[in-house]
Structures are given as structure tokens and as C-alpha cells.
Amino acid sequence: MGVIVGPRVIDAGLSLVRALLAPVAVAAGYPSPAQDYFDGRIDLNEHLVKDVTSTFIVRVSGQSMEQAGISDGDELVVNRALEPKDGSVVVAVLDGELTIKRLRITPTGVILQADNPCFPDIEVPALSELTIWGVATRCLHHV
């Protein structure tokens, strides 16, 4: 089961990272001619965080979302202000338990779908208490 460990608040007064930006895309296939310089810095806040007041980082524990590219130990950028939609990867609270799953809204009810065939989907029973805590927008994956 994919669960989260300790959401962290992103401090609105601090920049996450200002990293150097390469001036060209780097080929993942055959090498291209190398560039000898970098083209300034980019602020990762602009690329990762759309709303600082409602964005959190959560660490993933478990393998139930591996086929979505979300692995054990990864960190997700989660926005609590976004409206969850069918197909969104969400942090859900089901009967008091936190989990990360893909939200599926069907004519017969709500399913929290695992993106790993080794894990069962969770059909949310009618009398269960389900809260969508936030919508994942980015996965910070270790390579």
C-alpha cells in the first residue's frame, strides 16, 4: 500500500533551489555536441509550486504506484487547493488511513486504484469516510 510519511510545509519565504539551466535540451539517445556554458539560473519554485499556501511535500512509502512512476522513497509535490478529478493521483484519507492512489469515479462509486498489479484496487464502501487530502502534481524521483 502506498502511504505518505510526514507532509512538510513549503516555506513561502524561501526559495527551494535556484539551479543552473542548460541552454539546450540534452539528448537521451545519441550524444549531441556539448555546450560549454549554462544559461543562468531557474527557480524551481516556479516549476514545482503553483500555490505556496496549499502545497506540501510528502514522502512515499510502498510500491503500489510504481507503474505511475512513483516509487518507495520518492517525494510528491501535493497541492491541496486543486480539485481532484477522475484519473488524478491523490493523497486520500480513507477511514482515517492515508494512502496514495489514482482516483477513479465510476457510475457505481469511487475506486482508489493502485498502479501496480500486485496491489488490489480499493472500492470505497458507501459507509466509509473518504477525504481527498490533496492532488499530486509532481514526483521527485531518485535516480
Side-chain angles (χ1 to χ4, degrees), residues 9 18 28 48 51 98-99 103 114:
V9 177
R18 291 186 57 83
L48 298 176
D51 182 354
L98 286 164
T99 188
L103 179 67

Short mmCIF file of all heavy atoms in Angstrom, two decimals, residues 9 18 28 48 51 98-99 103 114:
data_model
loop_
_atom_site.label_atom_id
_atom_site.label_comp_id
_atom_site.label_asym_id
_atom_site.label_seq_id
_atom_site.Cartn_x
_atom_site.Cartn_y
_atom_site.Cartn_z
N VAL A 9 5.61 21.38 5.06
CA VAL A 9 5.15 22.66 4.51
C VAL A 9 6.29 23.30 3.74
O VAL A 9 7.44 23.27 4.18
CB VAL A 9 4.68 23.60 5.64
CG1 VAL A 9 4.27 24.94 5.09
CG2 VAL A 9 3.55 22.97 6.43
N ARG A 18 17.70 27.43 -6.61
CA ARG A 18 17.95 28.16 -7.84
C ARG A 18 19.08 27.41 -8.53
O ARG A 18 20.21 27.49 -8.12
CB ARG A 18 18.30 29.61 -7.55
CG ARG A 18 17.10 30.39 -7.01
CD ARG A 18 17.37 31.86 -6.84
NE ARG A 18 17.79 32.51 -8.07
CZ ARG A 18 16.97 32.96 -9.02
NH1 ARG A 18 15.68 32.78 -8.91
NH2 ARG A 18 17.44 33.57 -10.09
N ALA A 28 18.75 12.21 -24.82
CA ALA A 28 18.75 10.98 -24.03
C ALA A 28 19.10 9.78 -24.90
O ALA A 28 19.23 8.68 -24.42
CB ALA A 28 17.38 10.78 -23.38
N LEU A 48 7.73 23.93 -9.82
CA LEU A 48 7.16 22.88 -8.98
C LEU A 48 5.96 23.32 -8.14
O LEU A 48 5.10 22.51 -7.83
CB LEU A 48 8.23 22.32 -8.03
CG LEU A 48 9.44 21.66 -8.69
CD1 LEU A 48 10.45 21.25 -7.64
CD2 LEU A 48 9.01 20.47 -9.52
N ASP A 51 0.98 27.12 -5.92
CA ASP A 51 0.32 27.82 -4.81
C ASP A 51 1.03 27.44 -3.52
O ASP A 51 0.82 26.37 -2.96
CB ASP A 51 -1.16 27.41 -4.76
CG ASP A 51 -1.94 28.12 -3.67
OD1 ASP A 51 -1.34 28.87 -2.87
OD2 ASP A 51 -3.17 27.92 -3.61
N LEU A 98 -4.13 7.19 5.64
CA LEU A 98 -3.62 7.89 4.46
C LEU A 98 -3.11 6.91 3.42
O LEU A 98 -2.48 5.90 3.75
CB LEU A 98 -2.45 8.80 4.86
CG LEU A 98 -2.81 10.07 5.63
CD1 LEU A 98 -1.58 10.65 6.28
CD2 LEU A 98 -3.44 11.07 4.69
N THR A 99 -3.37 7.21 2.15
CA THR A 99 -2.86 6.40 1.05
C THR A 99 -2.71 7.26 -0.20
O THR A 99 -3.38 8.29 -0.33
CB THR A 99 -3.78 5.19 0.77
OG1 THR A 99 -3.16 4.34 -0.19
CG2 THR A 99 -5.15 5.62 0.26
N LEU A 103 -7.41 8.26 -8.36
CA LEU A 103 -8.84 8.40 -8.10
C LEU A 103 -9.63 8.01 -9.34
O LEU A 103 -9.38 8.52 -10.43
CB LEU A 103 -9.16 9.85 -7.71
CG LEU A 103 -10.62 10.17 -7.42
CD1 LEU A 103 -11.09 9.45 -6.17
CD2 LEU A 103 -10.79 11.69 -7.27
N ALA A 114 -4.72 1.26 -7.46
CA ALA A 114 -3.27 1.06 -7.39
C ALA A 114 -2.74 1.00 -8.82
O ALA A 114 -3.41 0.49 -9.71
CB ALA A 114 -2.96 -0.23 -6.65
#
